[in-house]
Amino acid sequence: MPKDTGIGASSKRREDIRFLSGLGNYTDDMQVAGQAHAVFVRSTVAHGRIKSVGTKTALGMPGVLAVFTGEDFKDVGGNPAGWLINSRDGTPMKEPKRPVLAHGKVRHVGDAYAAVVAETLQQAKDAAQVISDETEIEELPAIIDMAQALADSSNRVHDEISDNQCFDWGWIEDNRAAVDAAFKSAPHVTTLELVNNRLVPNAMEPRASIGEYFPGTGDYKLTTTSQNPHLTRLLVAAFVMGIPENKLQVVAPDVGGGFGSKIYHYGEEALVLAAAKQIKRPVKWTAERSESFLSDAHGRDHVTKIELACDKEGNFLAFRTATLANVGAYLSNFSTATPTFLHGTLMAGPYKVPHVYVNVKTVFTNTAPVDAYRGAGRPEATYSLERVIDKMCRELDLDPFEVRRKNFITTDMFPYTTPVGLAYDTGDYHATLDKAMELADVAGFEKRRAASAAKGKLRGMGLSTWIEACGIAPSHLVGVLGARVGLYDAATVRVNATGNISVMVGAHSHGQGHETVFAQVVAEQLGVPESSIEIVHGDTSKIPFGMGSYGSRSLAVCGSAMTKAVDKIIAKGKKIAAHMLEAAEGDITFADGKFSVAGTDKAKTFGEIAFSAYVPHNYPLETLEPGLEETAFYDPANFTYPAGAYICEVEVDAETGKVEIASFTCADDFGNVMNPMIVEGQVHGGVGQGIGQALLENTSYDENGQLLTGSYMDYAMPRADDVPFYVVDASCATPCTHNPLGVKGCGEAGAIGSPPAVVNAVIDALHRGGHKVAHIDMPVSPARVWSAMNA
Amino acid sequence: MHNFDFVKPSSIADAVKALSGDGAQALSGGQTLTPTLKQRLAQPSVLVSLTGIAEMKGVCMGADGLSIGAATPHAVVAREAAKDYPGLAALAGGIGDPAVRNRGTIGGSLANNDPAACYPAGVLGSGATIVTNKRKIAADDYFQGMFTTALDEGEIITGVTFPVPQKAAYVKFNQPASRFALTGVFVAKFAGGVRVAVTGASNNGVFRWTEAEAALSANFAAAAVEGLTVSPEDMIGDLHGTPEYRAHLVKVLTKRAVAAAH
Ligand SMILES: Cc1cc2nc3c(=O)[nH]c(=O)nc-3n(C[C@H](O)[C@H](O)[C@H](O)COP(=O)(O)OP(=O)(O)OC[C@H]3O[C@@H](n4cnc5c(N)ncnc54)[C@H](O)[C@@H]3O)c2cc1C
């Protein structure tokens, strides 16, 4: 019997009641008394020198309260990158200042160089249009292509950076000679050049912010679409605006999806705060969808050459990659970590390959900033590896399943240190592969292929065996790697006098379902009903200093903090029980929501203990404090390493090149699963996004830096009928060895593992149909497939 | 959106009068015009709604064929034309999503003449007649290139009359993002011959593929067009497909439409 409550139960998502019935409270839903409206004036050219900003007419227009330009913020601090990466030669990365509003130059289409605040949104828009019309920008040639950007020092995104390069990173530089030697002597080398396509995050809710200033106290409040309110507070307070941290409250209320794009602090947040202070009224801004396309941090955008050295039997000897990673016009907060420590460290995959070397050059271009997007670096690593392995199998006529098998790290090898610096704690890659093959009925493929052929369709099967590092992240490790922050998390468990419980967590839920799952975990630990537990998040004035949600970290890191805080509650409860039951603390046991004196029938319920904690009429105050509230911080000892095997089958319409996903099977190892339904939903969503990347999503800038895919008319998002009914399994679990719940994280897996499975399947289908196509770049659109078939 | 006035007349005559004012523009289902207004790309001073005019709505079979009021939403055509003209009903039922089909109208679609829209193929492929407040215009004269039609300033489409063929089908190949036609082909077999109209493919908007019409008039079978080729010259090339790809699709979809016609 599946459980119906607590850990392991598929408890229904309590937050869905408000999300699905229109009762959510999103930033734009809030109408703050007296609020004015901000509209940003954004560059229509990709690269240009600002000659003058035409604010004069606008200032006199009806309803206009204030106009801001880059000049107003030229002396405030810049929005920093969170990681300092050094180049191979030891020099630190180039770190141009990212201003609140563009100053001197505009650097991408959508770069905001002015803002208007007016009584109404329409008035602000009218004025913004006039500013745009009356501004003089000398257009400069756009820098779009990365290779060209590196080669041409006469044209610079940032005048002070001559080669448009942020850094040239080698991982691990000391491995390089051994890797090169392994390639020299290898019996076989497979080379593949590929593009990991740029993606627009497209959260359902666009970014929005409300700034408030309270002259009476000098306090500020920022309500904003953030995945990590404390990080935003830190960035705004300490780096950008110099507001004392304790005078700034950041609230991230209901947030309609982030996928990474709402981790970062953006200039709009600083602007609404500055404006609120200046006009002494709340100031609200909500992005329009076209602004989101132009100004949210995009994802991926790597151009990679990967080489695989092996023997004739397909035993891996070495991997070597050279990647150009686009960072866009400015460094977004995680942009330097994403192509390096979230990418290069994963380049050994789940394989016992002895030699790996990764080179990444990051390049400034006149495009929107690029940063972490669901999976962040790990999808890029997985795609490169799983595609080149597939190509190698074809070149040597080897079975892709067998090749994976013979190269997998085996269960007796854990803990296993890879040549790219990670120590995998546990896993069973054979088990997930076997499971996926069974569920996908690999043995029956030939029959299905024949049935597809009878309909005139080419059927193919693709495999991807992926691994990721999440539970981000051990501060001691990331500190060495250049992180300027720690990546612990925190939780406070407050047992109220009436026995119900408020849990304040540093993680932020923007669709994931924390309010349900975290309550399940606490309910299990304390033996109380889930309904008595409330999860509080998203408000720096309520929660302890946590680092928010991204990188599949919420349960593994914040959940661990929460578990530790609950342990402290139980320990305190035992003290109280010992006092109430007149027993020794060491004799008190806690189980099923009851504190008992071991070996007797003397017991107090959890509720009785809670009540006593707040009505301490006879407490020995020297040894027992009243109250029942505990906080814990948790800093992980290691990353967690979810892994799995994905098998995709496609049907290709040979006449039109259109690809349909016929089936998609996932066998994942997420460690212990707290809520199977939510985990399955996370996999569905992730694979949906992966299929979107593989087949549909194409972010295209033309040579002038205009975004050709700036709306849903041209940017194809996956829809329900683009994706199949998934087969999802998480039964091959090897619990994480170093966190209390044994959990690994499941939020990004689908987006990481799926794109290569899809593309491998398409290539397989084409080969089976007699088309010897080596590679097609994503998105594998009908037109691209047809062109490849008819090349 | 800029400010505008809004009127909702109940007769064609009142609508024509309202449209003669400065800066007046017709509003039908609003599926094209509303997004344009929201992006501030149009700035009409008065919007004249056509959806309150009873004589411009509905589907009805008559002596000249099937008449559809210009303000009839796609969903109504999909439902009510299914018996008399299933090929056209299926075309209407494949436009956009349910919200678009419940608001968007045939008149708005034809007035707009988007080069990737579906109705232009159905109308040209059927040899239908566009009825306006002033005149009747044959489909062959009506479509004059991308977003360009024979309509005069202030002229409104009031309805469309379709001769009903023996067999017809529309096959659309979706542009992956918008799901308008990357290319779409409407084939109609009449007693007197076959018409083939292509949308989504050409820089000149919807067009008739006359070679295929001749071949199919002689032999209404997919094999009849096998030997023909479509020139990529003047085909649309964009992110979603090259001119060559679209030219190729014209033939593939024509064969599929012939096979599907009923
Ligand atoms: C998400 C989405 C998906 C879509 N997908 C498709 C698709 O797959 N295939 C397809 O064919 N279409 C598609 N459309 C377009 C839709 O079918 C509408 O038919 C089309 O937008 C125009 O019709 P409307 O009634 O909305 O016209 P409106 O937007 O109201 O008007 C359009 C233009 O026509 C003028 N006009 C309107 N009615 C008349 C009239 N009777 N006489 C003269 N001028 C008039 C207006 O002044 C305006 O300039 C889609 C639209 C959306 C929003």
Side-chain angles (χ1 to χ4, degrees):
Chain A
M1 263 290 281
K3 291 177 70 178
D4 60 6
T5 183
I7 287 178
S10 283
S11 300
K12 293 252 166 65
R13 288 167 40 111
R14 52 171 74 174
E15 45 270 81
D16 284 350
I17 293 171
R18 67 178 193 275
F19 292 160
L20 298 180
S21 60
L23 297 174
N25 192 25
Y26 297 88
T27 299
D28 190 60
D29 292 330
M30 297 178 191
Q31 312 301 329
V32 187
Q35 74 189 12
H37 298 266
V39 166
F40 288 83
V41 191
R42 297 183 185 275
S43 178
T44 56
V45 300
H47 192 195
R49 215 168 283 288
I50 301 171
K51 294 290 181 195
S52 68
V53 182
T55 56
K56 241 204 212 105
T57 315
L59 276 165
M61 286 176 68
V64 172
L65 301 166
V67 172
F68 297 87
T69 69
E71 196 62 26
D72 297 308
F73 295 95
K74 71 176 197 304
D75 298 325
V76 308
N79 186 6
W83 293 59
L84 171 68
I85 306 293
N86 289 326
S87 281
R88 295 196 287 133
D89 63 7
T91 55
M93 68 184 192
K94 305 280 179 14
E95 201 175 354
K97 184 168 161 173
R98 186 177 186 187
V100 173
L101 291 171
H103 185 244
K105 272 171 88 170
V106 287
R107 295 186 175 85
H108 66 93
V109 171
D111 199 2
Y113 60 86
V116 189
V117 180
E119 293 286 350
T120 71
L121 183 60
Q122 294 306 319
Q123 289 169 332
K125 277 191 177 192
D126 288 340
Q129 184 61 54
V130 168
I131 293 175
S132 178
D133 293 345
E134 297 184 357
T135 289
E136 235 188 294
I137 292 177
E138 177 201 346
E139 192 170 354
L140 300 168
I143 299 155
I144 304 301
D145 179 78
M146 286 192 276
Q148 220 172 312
L150 291 177
D152 178 7
S153 63
S154 70
N155 198 12
R156 303 173 183 187
V157 178
H158 296 276
D159 295 353
E160 68 279 16
I161 302 172
S162 64
D163 54 2
N164 294 305
Q165 180 174 287
C166 179
F167 55 76
D168 172 3
W169 182 75
W171 191 250
I172 293 173
E173 201 53 27
D174 291 346
N175 290 353
R176 189 175 194 161
V179 172
D180 290 349
F183 271 93
K184 272 221 180 81
S185 59
H188 182 83
V189 173
T190 294
T191 304
L192 180 61
E193 292 184 31
L194 49 83
V195 173
N196 204 292
N197 42 327
R198 181 188 277 241
L199 303 173
V200 179
N202 280 308
M204 200 180 287
E205 179 204 24
R207 288 189 292 119
S209 303
I210 302 170
E212 291 173 77
Y213 178 71
F214 305 94
T217 56
D219 289 345
Y220 293 81
K221 178 177 177 185
L222 174 66
T223 306
T224 193
T225 49
S226 173
Q227 301 178 215
N228 33 232
H230 270 107
L231 203 58
T232 298
R233 188 181 74 170
L234 183 66
L235 288 165
V236 173
F239 292 90
V240 179
M241 297 187 70
I243 300 171
E245 226 181 323
N246 56 6
K247 298 301 254 180
L248 172 61
Q249 176 192 3
V250 176
V251 179
D254 284 337
V255 173
F259 311 111
S261 68
K262 293 172 183 168
I263 298 173
Y264 328 115
H265 162 58
Y266 293 84
E268 290 90 347
E269 293 170 326
L271 187 286
V272 294
L273 287 170
K277 182 174 189 196
Q278 178 169 323
I279 68 168
K280 307 246 172 348
R281 283 172 59 177
V283 175
K284 180 195 240 179
W285 165 75
T286 302
E288 298 197 343
R289 183 59 64 182
S290 43
E291 283 185 281
S292 304
F293 269 99
L294 295 175
S295 69
D296 287 0
H298 293 172
R300 317 278 193 260
D301 206 348
H302 286 195
V303 176
T304 293
K305 176 180 173 187
I306 180 163
E307 297 163 287
L308 184 170
C310 61
D311 65 18
K312 296 284 183 198
E313 287 74 49
N315 292 299
F316 303 159
L317 303 173
F319 302 140
R320 183 166 60 192
T321 72
T323 289
L324 297 184
N326 206 334
V327 288
Y330 302 100
L331 294 182
S332 173
N333 300 134
F334 268 67
S335 62
T336 52
T338 303
T340 53
F341 293 111
L342 296 174
H343 168 245
T345 53
L346 270 301
M347 206 50 93
Y351 309 113
K352 52 190 180 198
V353 53
H355 299 292
V356 181
Y357 176 73
V358 176
N359 176 242
V360 178
K361 296 187 171 83
T362 42
V363 187
F364 292 105
T365 58
N366 292 121
T367 62
V370 181
D371 206 327
Y373 168 74
R374 199 171 193 168
R378 291 149 292 170
E380 294 89 318
T382 304
Y383 184 68
S384 298
L385 281 177
E386 296 303 300
R387 279 292 300 128
V388 80
I389 292 168
D390 196 69
K391 184 163 184 254
M392 180 274 279
C393 292
R394 233 169 266 293
E395 287 174 357
L396 294 180
D397 198 21
L398 296 171
D399 174 41
F401 297 95
E402 279 316 306
V403 164
R404 259 80 169 194
R405 254 189 238 291
K406 71 171 75 163
N407 286 288
F408 277 154
I409 298 159
T410 51
T411 49
D412 55 342
M413 295 168 80
F414 293 105
Y416 178 88
T417 302
T418 73
V420 272
L422 293 178
Y424 299 166
D425 61 337
T426 181
D428 187 345
Y429 312 131
H430 285 91
T432 43
L433 179 57
D434 289 344
K435 188 62 159 186
M437 290 178 72
E438 173 203 324
L439 293 172
D441 183 22
V442 170
F445 175 76
E446 189 45 41
K447 225 200 233 152
R448 295 189 295 277
R449 194 198 59 75
S452 298
K455 294 187 295 178
K457 298 275 173 72
L458 307 177
R459 195 178 187 105
M461 178 160 54
L463 169 67
S464 151
T465 50
W466 61 273
I467 187 165
E468 62 160 322
C470 52
I472 291 170
S475 296
H476 69 92
L477 245 177
V478 298
V480 174
L481 300 178
R484 288 163 165 162
V485 289
L487 286 166
Y488 50 83
D489 218 288
T492 297
V493 177
R494 177 178 301 154
V495 181
N496 299 311
T498 51
N500 59 28
I501 300 163
S502 307
V503 184
M504 281 62 76
V505 294
H508 184 273
S509 186
H510 30 281
Q512 292 88 340
H514 299 169
E515 292 169 30
T516 302
V517 180
F518 284 21
Q520 285 177 257
V521 172
V522 174
E524 179 84 28
Q525 268 184 292
L526 291 179
V528 299
E530 285 173 31
S531 59
S532 70
I533 299 157
E534 200 64 25
I535 304 299
V536 178
H537 62 97
D539 184 340
T540 57
S541 71
K542 294 181 178 166
I543 62 171
F545 196 114
M547 299 305 286
S549 288
Y550 41 82
S552 307
R553 71 190 301 273
S554 302
L555 191 59
V557 186
C558 187
S560 297
M562 183 178 75
T563 305
K564 285 181 60 184
V566 174
D567 285 343
K568 291 186 187 177
I569 292 285
I570 294 170
K572 173 79 180 284
K574 284 182 178 173
K575 272 201 171 95
I576 298 172
H579 163 68
M580 291 174 75
L581 296 166
E582 298 178 331
E585 195 185 322
D587 290 339
I588 304 291
T589 59
F590 178 71
D592 301 326
K594 250 197 213 146
F595 293 88
S596 318
V597 182
T600 74
D601 60 358
K602 291 207 293 182
K604 290 282 175 194
T605 63
F606 186 78
E608 289 171 313
I609 296 292
F611 186 73
S612 146
Y614 293 95
V615 190
H617 286 160
N618 61 353
Y619 270 30
L621 293 173
E622 319 74 51
T623 52
L624 186 60
E625 266 180 48
L628 195 51
E629 170 167 333
E630 299 288 349
T631 294
F633 280 67
Y634 177 82
D635 202 316
N638 190 355
F639 292 94
T640 63
Y641 301 98
Y646 287 180
I647 297 174
C648 175
E649 284 186 29
V650 298
E651 281 188 337
V652 179
D653 181 335
E655 278 188 313
T656 64
K658 183 165 168 53
V659 176
E660 295 226 14
I661 310 277
S663 68
F664 203 101
T665 307
C666 309
D668 294 304
D669 174 2
F670 296 134
N672 292 331
V673 168
M674 302 292 110
N675 180 320
M677 178 195 71
I678 286 185
V679 166
E680 182 166 349
Q682 287 291 314
V683 175
H684 286 194
V687 175
Q689 278 173 308
I691 289 172
Q693 168 162 33
L695 296 183
L696 295 161
E697 297 184 45
N698 182 13
T699 309
S700 181
Y701 284 95
D702 71 10
E703 71 275 13
N704 298 318
Q706 294 296 332
L707 182 60
L708 299 177
T709 49
S711 82
Y712 296 128
M713 289 301 282
D714 286 299
Y715 190 90
M717 291 293 285
R719 299 179 218 193
D721 62 355
D722 290 315
V723 298
F725 284 93
Y726 305 107
V727 177
V728 174
D729 177 275
S731 68
C732 302
T734 61
C736 170
T737 59
H738 54 80
N739 65 38
L741 294 168
V743 295
K744 295 184 175 178
C746 66
E748 296 160 295
I752 291 169
S754 59
V758 174
V759 178
N760 288 347
V762 173
I763 300 295
D764 185 56
L766 297 183
H767 275 259
R768 289 174 194 271
H771 303 276
K772 305 290 176 214
V773 173
H775 178 68
I776 303 176
D777 274 325
M778 302 186 289
V780 180
S781 65
R784 285 186 178 175
V785 173
W786 181 81
S787 299
M789 289 169 74
N790 294 282
Chain B
M1 215 178 269
H2 294 284
N3 286 336
F4 53 81
D5 289 328
F6 179 80
V7 294
K8 193 164 184 177
S10 54
S11 74
I12 293 172
D14 285 351
V16 170
K17 195 147 93 206
L19 278 168
S20 66
D22 241 11
Q25 186 169 5
L27 174 72
S28 194
Q31 297 304 291
T32 295
L33 188 50
T34 316
T36 316
L37 294 173
K38 283 172 82 173
Q39 289 175 287
R40 298 187 154 210
L41 296 173
Q43 202 171 346
S45 50
V46 188
L47 281 183
V48 182
S49 171
L50 304 179
T51 56
I53 303 171
E55 51 193 312
M56 279 179 65
K57 292 174 88 166
V59 176
C60 123
M61 198 58 197
D64 305 336
L66 184 78
S67 288
I68 302 178
T72 312
H74 311 323
V76 172
V77 175
R79 214 164 42 235
E80 296 185 8
K83 188 164 81 48
D84 294 313
Y85 195 167
L88 186 72
L91 174 151
I95 294 174
D97 51 44
V100 169
R101 291 195 289 275
N102 282 320
R103 299 291 306 179
T105 66
I106 185 169
S109 179
L110 295 176
N112 193 46
N113 192 19
D114 187 304
C118 302
Y119 263 129
V123 168
L124 186 63
S126 304
T129 302
I130 286 109
V131 184
T132 77
N133 60 312
K134 302 205 278 213
R135 53 184 168 148
K136 292 184 175 179
I137 311 172
D140 285 316
D141 301 325
Y142 177 81
F143 299 103
Q144 302 191 344
M146 282 195 184
F147 300 106
T148 313
T149 70
L151 289 179
D152 293 333
E153 189 74 26
E155 183 172 10
I156 53 177
I157 303 174
T158 57
V160 188
T161 306
F162 292 84
V164 178
Q166 294 164 339
K167 283 180 169 190
Y170 175 65
V171 177
K172 165 163 92 160
F173 191 82
N174 286 346
Q175 193 256 54
S178 72
R179 295 195 173 181
F180 274 66
L182 184 70
T183 294
V185 176
F186 192 92
V187 169
K189 179 178 186 296
F190 291 92
V194 173
R195 291 173 70 103
V196 177
V198 180
T199 188
S202 168
N203 282 320
N204 302 316
V206 67
F207 70 95
R208 283 172 65 186
W209 185 18
T210 48
E211 292 91 333
E213 291 182 350
L216 290 168
S217 295
N219 171 22
F220 193 72
V225 296
E226 199 59 67
L228 304 181
T229 52
V230 181
S231 165
E233 208 179 310
D234 253 349
M235 293 285 165
I236 297 170
D238 61 14
L239 277 178
H240 307 289
T242 57
E244 290 72 22
Y245 183 57
R246 282 185 166 86
H248 167 76
L249 284 180
V250 171
K251 182 161 143 184
V252 170
L253 302 182
T254 301
K255 289 193 292 182
R256 291 183 182 183
V258 169
H262 64 285

